[in-house]
Amino acid sequence: MTILYFAWLRTRIGKADEQVTPPGGVTTLGQLRQWLMTLSPAHAEALGDAALIRAAVNQDYAADDYPVRAGDEIAFFPPVTGG
Amino acid sequence: MIRVQREDFDAGEEMRQLSRGRRDVGALATFLGLVRDESDSLASLTLEHYPGMTERQLAAVEAEARRRWTLAEVVIIHRYGRLIPGDNIVFVGVLAGHRAEAFAACEFLMDWLKTKAPFWKHEDGGDGWVAAKAEDEERTLRWG
């Protein structure tokens, strides 16, 4: 699956996107975030506080219990500040 | 109609385009958002966005407004990239039969856009990433 990071998540993790293949036990968005945190100290720091992070699966907002699967486009970002 | 673009736009021209040739509508409500420098220290602002999801979410916001009110035309233009104080950021125009639905839909579109469209403001050389305001979330929630 493709993971995208925006705003300060992008700058803290040091990349805008990455391709990952999580283990079989990772089936929800919340589990995916927890697993991504194991990839590096920067991931752990940036993704650690769920209250500061929003997420989208295939470009729609999704909550922690939302299912994720191979081929999905999943984005993590801070609350939006446009307008 | 949704437009997400780096280029500037002309709000007056957008208004003329919206109402051109229409004889069946009585109200055009618009909102123009500008880059603000509250502390006289902002050199520039960079707006990051999520291409694809931005258009998708703005289209969903427009569809929700059309579900709630009878609207003849809706235009949402949102810029991204580097902007300086005084620059245009966002334009919302709503053409409708009467002022009540035009005013309401215009305000609704801005409130929903603020909390749903994936844009992030970065104050270059200043405080960095702008934090979301609880007040914006409250303004969205009051529409139910």
Side-chain angles (χ1 to χ4, degrees):
Chain A
M1 55 185 70
T2 304
I3 312 293
L4 306 177
Y5 304 109
F6 292 95
W8 57 256
L9 276 108
R10 173 177 56 75
T11 55
R12 286 186 197 172
I13 290 171
K15 55 179 98 173
D17 59 272
E18 59 186 328
Q19 296 292 327
V20 300
T21 307
V26 173
T27 60
T28 68
L29 187 58
Q31 289 167 349
L32 175 66
R33 188 177 61 79
Q34 293 290 333
W35 177 75
L36 287 168
M37 286 174 63
T38 66
L39 296 184
S40 79
H43 283 81
E45 192 262 324
L47 293 163
D49 189 345
L52 300 178
I53 299 171
R54 302 293 178 269
V57 177
N58 299 325
Q59 305 189 352
D60 275 320
Y61 287 97
D64 271 357
D65 58 354
Y66 196 88
V68 295
R69 50 183 67 90
D72 281 349
E73 175 180 297
I74 295 158
F76 294 96
F77 45 79
V80 302
T81 56
Chain B
M1 185 183 66
I2 306 299
R3 276 160 47 199
V4 180
Q5 62 188 48
R6 190 179 289 277
E7 304 75 38
D8 195 13
F9 54 83
D10 179 339
E13 182 56 26
E14 298 301 334
M15 290 179 69
R16 281 188 289 279
Q17 290 287 347
L18 267 167
S19 59
R20 181 163 295 156
R22 300 294 300 235
R23 298 165 58 90
D24 57 328
V25 291
L28 170 56
T30 64
F31 175 83
L32 176 62
L34 307 168
V35 177
R36 182 187 61 232
D37 179 9
E38 282 179 324
S39 54
D40 199 26
S41 63
L42 180 67
S44 67
L45 196 71
T46 300
L47 264 153
E48 180 171 334
H49 76 120
Y50 180 174
M53 181 169 172
T54 304
E55 290 82 355
R56 189 177 166 84
Q57 294 301 319
L58 289 175
V61 170
E62 177 184 344
E64 181 61 24
R66 288 181 178 278
R67 195 181 68 77
R68 294 180 182 221
W69 295 280
T70 301
L71 307 175
E73 207 62 66
V74 173
V75 172
I76 304 173
I77 306 171
H78 205 302
R79 295 180 68 192
Y80 62 89
R82 186 175 169 274
L83 304 171
I84 62 171
D87 277 356
N88 297 326
I89 298 185
V90 60
F91 175 86
V92 171
V94 179
L95 197 66
H98 303 279
R99 73 180 186 284
E101 55 261 47
F103 274 135
C106 189
E107 189 170 22
F108 168 86
L109 286 161
M110 271 311 301
D111 286 348
W112 267 44
L113 174 162
K114 288 283 271 189
T115 56
K116 297 181 191 297
F119 288 94
W120 301 274
K121 290 192 182 97
H122 184 271
E123 294 187 344
D124 305 325
D127 294 338
W129 295 105
V130 173
K133 295 192 186 84
E135 176 199 330
D136 287 333
E137 190 63 37
E138 287 157 17
R139 288 186 66 88
T140 298
L141 293 174
R142 79 200 163 108
W143 292 99

